[in-house]
Amino acid sequence: MLKPLGDRVVIELVESEEKTASGIVLPDSAKEKPQEGKVIAVGSGRVTENGERVALEVSEGNTIIFSKYAGTEVKFEGKEYLILRESDILAVIS
Amino acid sequence: MLKPLGDRVVIELVESEEKTASGIVLPDSAKEKPQEGKVIAVGSGRVTENGERVALEVSEGNTIIFSKYAGTEVKFEGKEYLILRESDILAVIS
Amino acid sequence: MLKPLGDRVVIELVESEEKTASGIVLPDSAKEKPQEGKVIAVGSGRVTENGERVALEVSEGNTIIFSKYAGTEVKFEGKEYLILRESDILAVIS
Amino acid sequence: MLKPLGDRVVIELVESEEKTASGIVLPDSAKEKPQEGKVIAVGSGRVTENGERVALEVSEGNTIIFSKYAGTEVKFEGKEYLILRESDILAVIS
Amino acid sequence: MLKPLGDRVVIELVESEEKTASGIVLPDSAKEKPQEGKVIAVGSGRVTENGERVALEVSEGNTIIFSKYAGTEVKFEGKEYLILRESDILAVIS
Amino acid sequence: MLKPLGDRVVIELVESEEKTASGIVLPDSAKEKPQEGKVIAVGSGRVTENGERVALEVSEGNTIIFSKYAGTEVKFEGKEYLILRESDILAVIS
Amino acid sequence: MLKPLGDRVVIELVESEEKTASGIVLPDSAKEKPQEGKVIAVGSGRVTENGERVALEVSEGNTIIFSKYAGTEVKFEGKEYLILRESDILAVIS
């Protein structure tokens, strides 16, 4: 298992698809959009200058939207993950 | 639903129009102006170095003016949104 | 009404004129000088890392001198305003 | 009157002259030296991240040495002033 | 023994190998991947602006993933080590 | 008298000389070395974000070594001084 | 004696040598390695924004590894020293 440090999260990419009006699924070619991911593991949070650790707002299982180009790709036990800082996460989809 | 993180807000763009003195509506062509938006969702606020979370000044339903070029475009359930940091918001229109 | 956020203020530009010794009013052509403005609305102040909100030093109705090129132009209900951060204000004229 | 904001001060330039050994006054041509000024008005001080306002060390009437090129020139009621941040002041002459 | 200072850790590189589907071990040629290391020694942690020392999240013996190009190579008693800051560590493998 | 502000000090340069093994004094031609100075006056110290003023570590009369190129030259009552920040001082010679 | 200020230390360089497998001592030609030094004197530590002084982790007599190119060379009473900030020290050798 990967346990991220500080304010980091480990995510799996969620492939997004788009349907045309007629329902045909087309692969997404818009490269500039933020991406979706699923949170696999969360860190224990950053420590403020006051010495307090701030728990993350996201938790395991959340589906999130994050800034494209953010994070570092990691391959672990044959699967691809991305390790992001929470500040690169824009929103949680609920 | 999109739940933004930290000091972020989700907004919908408000198209602005301008009337001439005679009341004819002309599309706005001034590209350099700040833009208007309507707040759809707000984050729970940033955490200061003292460990306190600071609630946002804007709330759902507010109409705001924000810095052009700020934020990230997000398409969610077929609609376009913009995710901004509160610091990119100049003023609330009331 | 425009309600600025944080440490921002909304101002109206004050056109400055200069009189010659003989009292003839000449339009000001010195482009490098700071500009004068009148404060129309003030934000509720920035929040320090200690979690305290710091009230602005300027208030509605003040005439101020501010750094040229600072701020963002905003057109609202047919009038031009400028939205500045308080740190761009040099002095209050009293 | 000009009331500077935060940690700013309003000063009047003090023209410096230099005497030769024989007492003849020569205009100063050394452009690289710091300049002298007289403090006309002081701000109420910056606010620390702890929320405390820090009074300035200089006060009205002080003669100071400041970093050349610092500050903004302001013309007010026909006179020239300079608005500096206190951090641009090197020393008080007493 | 090497005792790292502050928020630093001393690590030994872990050579990673990849198996093909048929089980043949191939040397890893992907130069852009984060690297694995084993923690040999940890510092006593950084000191916050509040004056508190923050213990590291990793401890001796942990296997970690860290940002490629991070850290400084050190040769000590004939062996190669890398000294990293904890912030360059992405995750602990457990 | 010059009273420096904040964490500044006023120093006089100390000309350094070097003796050869045989005791002949040669003028120093090494331009890259830090320089020596004697502290003439000290400021009252910087104010931390907690609102506390931190007294300087050096005091009047100390001989110090400081970073070359640091500080601002000031001519006062016919003598040359240098105004430094305490952070440009490397060590006190005692 | 040299008393360094703040979070600085005074060190003497330790020349490192390398033996070949057969025991012949060769001068070290690897210019990119961190260097070893011996701590001669330590400062009283930096002051945090909370107003607390943080004692250094290293002490007189410690042998340390530090970042190459860090620090300032100082010649004092005929001997060469290096003045470093503690943050340029990677580890203590014990």
Side-chain angles (χ1 to χ4, degrees):
Chain A
M1 219 194 82
L2 288 175
K3 169 69 178 171
L5 290 202
D7 61 346
R8 289 183 179 89
V9 298
V10 178
I11 67 166
E12 270 181 354
L13 281 188
V14 174
E15 299 302 328
S16 57
E17 295 177 359
E18 295 212 330
K19 294 194 185 183
T20 60
S22 61
I24 300 167
V25 177
L26 298 176
D28 184 0
S29 62
K31 293 292 190 207
E32 294 77 8
K33 292 199 310 184
Q35 288 182 301
E36 276 183 43
K38 193 176 164 191
V39 178
I40 299 300
V42 302
S44 47
R46 72 171 175 112
V47 174
T48 66
E49 292 301 328
N50 203 38
E52 280 180 53
R53 197 170 286 274
V54 182
L56 274 72
E57 288 193 68
V58 296
S59 42
E60 206 186 309
N62 282 176
T63 302
I64 60 161
I65 298 178
F66 62 94
S67 308
K68 221 180 117 104
Y69 306 123
T72 307
E73 288 178 19
V74 172
K75 194 171 192 172
F76 180 64
E77 296 179 349
K79 290 184 68 175
E80 299 277 356
Y81 298 96
L82 202 62
I83 300 184
L84 299 173
R85 290 184 173 275
E86 192 185 43
S87 56
D88 293 317
I89 302 178
L90 299 170
V92 174
I93 297 174
S94 60
Chain B
M1 220 194 80
L2 287 175
K3 169 69 179 171
L5 290 203
D7 61 346
R8 288 183 179 89
V9 299
V10 178
I11 66 166
E12 271 181 353
L13 281 188
V14 173
E15 299 301 328
S16 58
E17 294 176 359
E18 295 213 331
K19 294 194 185 184
T20 61
S22 61
I24 300 167
V25 177
L26 297 175
D28 183 1
S29 62
K31 292 293 190 206
E32 292 78 9
K33 291 198 311 184
Q35 288 182 302
E36 276 183 43
K38 193 176 164 191
V39 178
I40 299 301
V42 301
S44 46
R46 72 172 174 112
V47 174
T48 66
E49 292 301 328
N50 202 39
E52 280 180 53
R53 198 170 284 274
V54 182
L56 273 72
E57 287 192 71
V58 297
S59 43
E60 205 185 309
N62 282 176
T63 302
I64 60 160
I65 298 179
F66 62 93
S67 308
K68 222 180 117 105
Y69 306 123
T72 307
E73 289 178 19
V74 172
K75 194 171 191 173
F76 180 65
E77 295 179 350
K79 291 184 67 175
E80 299 277 357
Y81 298 97
L82 202 61
I83 300 184
L84 299 172
R85 289 184 173 274
E86 193 185 43
S87 56
D88 292 317
I89 302 179
L90 300 170
V92 174
I93 296 174
S94 59
Chain C
M1 220 194 80
L2 287 175
K3 169 70 178 169
L5 290 202
D7 61 346
R8 288 184 181 89
V9 299
V10 178
I11 66 166
E12 270 181 354
L13 280 188
V14 173
E15 299 302 327
S16 57
E17 294 177 358
E18 296 213 329
K19 295 193 185 186
T20 61
S22 61
I24 300 169
V25 177
L26 297 176
D28 183 0
S29 63
K31 293 293 190 208
E32 293 77 8
K33 292 199 310 185
Q35 288 182 301
E36 276 183 44
K38 194 177 162 190
V39 178
I40 299 300
V42 300
S44 46
R46 73 172 173 111
V47 174
T48 65
E49 292 301 328
N50 202 39
E52 280 180 53
R53 197 170 285 275
V54 182
L56 273 72
E57 287 192 71
V58 297
S59 43
E60 205 186 310
N62 282 176
T63 301
I64 59 161
I65 298 179
F66 62 93
S67 307
K68 221 180 117 106
Y69 305 122
T72 307
E73 289 177 19
V74 172
K75 194 171 192 172
F76 180 64
E77 294 179 351
K79 291 184 67 175
E80 298 278 356
Y81 298 97
L82 202 62
I83 301 184
L84 299 173
R85 289 185 173 274
E86 194 187 42
S87 56
D88 293 315
I89 301 179
L90 299 170
V92 173
I93 297 174
S94 60
Chain D
M1 221 194 80
L2 287 175
K3 168 71 179 170
L5 290 202
D7 61 347
R8 287 183 181 90
V9 299
V10 178
I11 66 165
E12 269 180 355
L13 280 188
V14 173
E15 299 303 327
S16 57
E17 295 176 359
E18 296 213 328
K19 295 193 187 185
T20 62
S22 61
I24 301 167
V25 177
L26 297 176
D28 183 2
S29 63
K31 294 294 191 207
E32 293 77 8
K33 292 198 311 184
Q35 289 182 300
E36 276 183 44
K38 193 177 164 190
V39 178
I40 300 300
V42 301
S44 46
R46 73 172 174 112
V47 175
T48 65
E49 292 301 329
N50 202 39
E52 280 181 52
R53 198 170 285 276
V54 182
L56 273 73
E57 287 192 70
V58 296
S59 43
E60 206 185 309
N62 282 176
T63 301
I64 59 161
I65 297 179
F66 62 93
S67 308
K68 221 179 118 106
Y69 306 122
T72 307
E73 288 178 18
V74 172
K75 193 173 193 172
F76 180 64
E77 294 179 350
K79 291 184 68 175
E80 298 278 356
Y81 298 96
L82 202 61
I83 301 183
L84 299 173
R85 289 183 173 275
E86 193 185 43
S87 56
D88 293 316
I89 302 178
L90 299 170
V92 174
I93 296 174
S94 61
Chain E
M1 217 195 84
L2 287 175
K3 169 71 178 171
L5 290 202
D7 61 345
R8 289 183 180 89
V9 298
V10 178
I11 66 166
E12 270 180 355
L13 281 188
V14 173
E15 299 303 328
S16 58
E17 294 176 359
E18 297 213 329
K19 295 194 185 184
T20 61
S22 60
I24 300 167
V25 177
L26 296 175
D28 183 1
S29 62
K31 293 294 188 206
E32 293 77 8
K33 291 199 311 184
Q35 288 180 301
E36 275 183 45
K38 193 175 163 191
V39 178
I40 300 300
V42 301
S44 47
R46 72 172 174 112
V47 174
T48 65
E49 293 300 329
N50 202 38
E52 279 180 53
R53 198 170 285 275
V54 182
L56 273 72
E57 287 192 70
V58 296
S59 42
E60 207 185 309
N62 282 175
T63 302
I64 58 162
I65 298 178
F66 61 94
S67 308
K68 221 181 118 104
Y69 306 123
T72 307
E73 288 178 17
V74 173
K75 193 172 192 171
F76 180 64
E77 295 179 348
K79 289 183 68 175
E80 299 277 356
Y81 299 96
L82 201 61
I83 301 184
L84 300 172
R85 289 184 174 276
E86 192 185 43
S87 56
D88 292 316
I89 302 178
L90 300 170
V92 174
I93 296 175
S94 60
Chain F
M1 221 194 80
L2 288 176
K3 168 71 179 171
L5 291 201
D7 61 347
R8 288 184 181 88
V9 299
V10 178
I11 66 165
E12 270 181 353
L13 281 189
V14 173
E15 299 302 327
S16 58
E17 295 177 358
E18 297 213 328
K19 295 194 186 185
T20 62
S22 60
I24 301 167
V25 177
L26 297 176
D28 183 2
S29 63
K31 294 293 190 207
E32 294 77 9
K33 291 200 310 185
Q35 289 181 300
E36 275 183 45
K38 193 177 163 191
V39 177
I40 300 301
V42 301
S44 46
R46 73 173 174 110
V47 175
T48 65
E49 293 301 328
N50 202 39
E52 280 181 54
R53 198 171 285 276
V54 182
L56 274 72
E57 287 193 71
V58 296
S59 43
E60 208 186 308
N62 282 176
T63 301
I64 59 162
I65 297 179
F66 62 94
S67 307
K68 220 179 119 106
Y69 306 121
T72 307
E73 289 179 16
V74 172
K75 193 173 193 171
F76 181 64
E77 295 179 349
K79 290 183 68 175
E80 299 277 355
Y81 299 96
L82 202 61
I83 301 183
L84 299 173
R85 290 184 173 275
E86 193 186 43
S87 56
D88 293 316
I89 302 178
L90 300 170
V92 174
I93 296 174
S94 60
Chain G
M1 219 194 82
L2 288 176
K3 168 72 178 169
L5 290 202
D7 61 345
R8 288 183 180 89
V9 299
V10 178
I11 66 166
E12 270 180 354
L13 281 189
V14 173
E15 300 302 326
S16 58
E17 295 176 358
E18 297 213 329
K19 294 194 186 184
T20 61
S22 60
I24 301 168
V25 177
L26 297 176
D28 184 2
S29 62
K31 292 294 189 207
E32 294 77 8
K33 291 200 310 185
Q35 289 181 301
E36 276 183 44
K38 193 176 164 192
V39 178
I40 300 301
V42 301
S44 46
R46 73 173 175 110
V47 174
T48 66
E49 293 301 327
N50 202 40
E52 280 180 53
R53 199 171 283 276
V54 182
L56 273 72
E57 287 192 71
V58 297
S59 43
E60 207 185 309
N62 282 176
T63 302
I64 60 161
I65 298 179
F66 62 94
S67 308
K68 222 180 118 106
Y69 306 122
T72 307
E73 289 178 18
V74 172
K75 193 172 192 171
F76 181 64
E77 295 179 348
K79 290 183 68 175
E80 298 277 356
Y81 298 96
L82 202 62
I83 301 184
L84 299 172
R85 290 184 174 276
E86 193 186 42
S87 56
D88 293 316
I89 302 178
L90 300 170
V92 174
I93 296 175
S94 60

